[in-house]
Amino acid sequence: TYGIIGVGKMGEPVLQNLLESGIAPKNIQFSIHNLDRVANISSKYGVTYKNNLDLVKAVDVLIIGVKIS
C-alpha cells in the first residue's frame, strides 16, 4: 500500500503517476492539511483519506510531498 502526505503541487502529480503506472486506487491512501480538498481528491482519483498518524501506520511505502520551510 502507498501513502502520500501532501497532495498539492508536488504530491498530486506523484499520485497521478502512481495511478498511471497501474497501481489501483484502493492501494493508495493520502493525507492533506487542507481538509477542504479531501472530498475532491477522493472523488477525482478514487483514493482514501487518512490522518497522518493512521496513514503512516497503514502503508508500506510513504511518500512525503510537502514543502520544507
Side-chain angles (χ1 to χ4, degrees), residues 3 11 30 36 40 42 44 56 66 69:
F30 75 100
D36 293 336
N40 179 281
S42 291
K44 184 175 181 179
V56 170
V66 297
S69 51

Side-chain angles (χ1 to χ4, degrees), residues 4-68:
I4 304 173
I5 295 178
V7 184
K9 290 180 183 176
M10 292 186 289
E12 190 167 0
V14 172
L15 171 58
Q16 291 170 334
N17 287 331
L18 288 173
L19 293 167
E20 289 171 7
S21 75
I23 297 170
K26 69 178 184 176
N27 293 324
I28 302 173
Q29 300 171 7
F30 75 100
S31 179
I32 190 168
H33 76 277
N34 183 351
L35 297 179
D36 293 336
R37 293 199 63 216
V38 169
N40 179 281
I41 297 292
S42 291
S43 64
K44 184 175 181 179
Y45 299 107
V47 295
T48 302
Y49 169 82
K50 289 195 174 186
N51 65 51
N52 286 343
L53 183 59
D54 290 340
L55 180 74
V56 170
K57 290 178 180 180
V59 300
D60 300 308
V61 177
L62 181 63
I63 300 164
I64 301 174
V66 297
K67 184 170 84 172
I68 299 173

